Amino acid sequence: MTSLKSGVKLKEMKKLSLYIFLVLIFYPTSPNASEYNIQKKLNNSKYNIVLFEDFSKKFKYKKFKKKIRKYQYFLPSEPFWKAFRDSMKIENEQMIMTINPGTRQWDGDKKSGTERAEWGFYVINGKKLIGRDKFIKLSYDFKLPKDSSKFFINEKRTMISQLKHDGGKYPGFSPLAAFYVHKRGAATCVDYNNQRQSYTLTIKNHTRIPYEINIYDGDWHKVEFIIKLGREDGYCLVKIDGKKIIEKINYDNDLNPKEQIVARFGPYRDKTNITQQIYYDNIEVGYYD
């Protein structure tokens, strides 16, 4: 009898395992289903490219702004724009950012123990540019010098791009989305968690890139952000080389709906005695109708 009961139990367990397997195939988990629905919506929408920069034309250094259609590139204001100029160069139709110890572009860098060499442009600015209710796409190619892991992997923080609210109402809050190249690389989709008084109560969602992708191999890698701003219906998807790093759905990613959004490129890091170099190309911004 015991043997018979064991056989029946084993068959029941096999049936249950088969049932679970079929459920997982035909009824995907909520995040995957949500991503599928959003991707389906985007695929059925018109995609509009509003800015593409491949550095094929001569880049003219200016102290403040350079208009491209309605979009504006900006450089750091005085007295820090020279530090940026010395950190950036265009070579072989690529933007190369080299940051040395002590490079600062903000008057608070010294006090906060940070270093940076950033360049960027406005994406959302009041009624101009991309509407705040749109799904925004931002993508770019980057590479690090081959076998450069020793210059990145053990550092506390090296960010190479960010989407940030550009205003002073909530100073010190993290960018809504960012990409990092220290410790094998990571991305964030920050959840402000309906908190506007305490930075410590926000949720950073710092997520490592897929292990099989080696960003220190000297090859080009593509980073892609899909963003929709919202207090309760925010969306953020970050991919590298077509592989998902992180996806956040229906959360709070609009720190201040009255502030413009800036895309920044270049290293931002904690103070270190190491020189780091990052290559950028094919920066693209667009939105879906």
Side-chain angles (χ1 to χ4, degrees):
M1 288 291 292
T2 303
S3 177
L4 180 60
K5 287 182 178 179
S6 299
V8 172
K9 191 173 183 180
L10 181 61
K11 288 183 179 179
E12 290 176 349
M13 290 178 65
K14 287 182 177 179
K15 288 181 179 179
L16 179 60
S17 298
L18 178 61
Y19 173 77
I20 293 174
F21 174 74
L22 292 173
V23 167
L24 290 174
I25 289 178
F26 293 105
Y27 297 92
T29 58
S30 179
N32 289 333
S34 298
E35 181 184 351
Y36 171 79
N37 290 334
I38 289 173
Q39 289 300 321
K40 185 177 179 181
K41 177 181 178 180
L42 298 183
N43 289 338
N44 292 329
S45 302
K46 180 184 177 183
Y47 177 62
N48 306 275
I49 296 177
V50 295
L51 187 148
F52 183 79
E53 179 63 82
D54 62 3
F55 305 104
S56 59
K57 296 181 180 179
K58 185 177 180 180
F59 189 94
K60 296 180 180 179
Y61 290 99
K62 291 188 178 181
K63 295 181 182 180
F64 299 104
K65 298 176 182 178
K66 168 185 169 183
K67 289 187 177 180
I68 296 186
R69 299 178 186 173
K70 294 183 297 182
Y71 295 77
Q72 295 177 328
Y73 292 1
F74 69 88
L75 302 181
S77 58
E78 294 280 14
F80 300 102
W81 74 274
K82 291 181 180 178
F84 167 82
R85 180 197 62 190
D86 294 340
S87 301
M88 174 189 174
K89 67 177 179 179
I90 307 299
E91 191 174 272
N92 297 324
E93 299 185 359
Q94 303 162 12
M95 179 173 74
I96 306 171
M97 302 291 286
T98 303
I99 184 169
N100 295 302
T103 302
R104 300 185 180 97
Q105 287 185 190
W106 176 54
D107 54 7
D109 278 331
K110 187 174 182 179
K111 182 179 179 180
S112 61
T114 52
E115 300 170 337
R116 73 181 79 205
E118 293 182 300
W119 162 89
F121 47 82
Y122 298 106
V123 177
I124 292 176
N125 182 13
K127 296 180 180 179
K128 300 178 182 179
L129 313 184
I130 299 174
R132 214 174 188 92
D133 61 334
K134 303 295 186 183
F135 279 87
I136 301 168
K137 176 184 175 182
L138 185 148
S139 65
Y140 62 93
D141 300 334
F142 83 95
K143 72 174 179 178
L144 307 175
K146 190 173 183 180
D147 301 324
S148 62
S149 60
K150 64 181 178 180
F151 299 112
F152 295 96
I153 200 164
N154 294 319
E155 293 302 301
K156 183 178 179 181
R157 173 179 55 171
T158 304
M159 176 195 295
I160 68 166
S161 72
Q162 58 176 310
L163 278 164
K164 188 174 179 64
H165 290 75
D166 186 44
K169 188 172 183 179
Y170 301 105
F173 277 70
S174 298
L176 67 98
F179 187 82
Y180 301 82
V181 294
H182 65 290
K183 294 181 173 58
R184 300 194 63 86
T188 56
C189 294
V190 172
D191 183 351
Y192 297 113
N193 198 25
N194 293 311
Q195 301 294 327
R196 300 297 183 272
Q197 304 302 319
S198 175
Y199 164 82
T200 59
L201 295 178
T202 61
I203 302 169
K204 310 307 182 295
N205 294 309
H206 189 89
T207 307
R208 302 283 289 273
I209 69 173
Y211 182 78
E212 65 270 19
I213 296 177
N214 175 19
I215 59 174
Y216 310 121
D217 58 7
D219 294 334
W220 288 98
H221 298 277
K222 178 172 285 294
V223 175
E224 179 181 342
F225 295 85
I226 302 290
I227 303 288
K228 181 186 178 297
L229 296 170
R231 284 289 178 93
E232 295 181 351
D233 60 344
Y235 177 78
C236 176
L237 173 67
V238 188
K239 294 182 178 182
I240 182 169
D241 298 343
K243 295 182 180 295
K244 182 170 71 173
I245 305 174
I246 180 174
E247 182 192 30
K248 289 292 294 177
I249 300 167
N250 295 331
Y251 74 113
D252 174 18
N253 68 350
D254 200 355
L255 182 64
N256 185 354
K258 294 182 180 180
E259 288 182 354
Q260 57 201 5
I261 303 296
V262 169
R264 296 183 181 179
F265 300 89
Y268 169 71
R269 67 186 191 179
D270 294 286
K271 183 179 178 181
T272 181
N273 60 357
I274 291 174
T275 295
Q276 296 172 323
Q277 194 171 71
I278 301 101
Y279 293 71
Y280 297 86
D281 204 356
N282 299 323
I283 294 173
E284 178 182 316
V285 179
Y287 67 93
Y288 295 88
D289 279 331

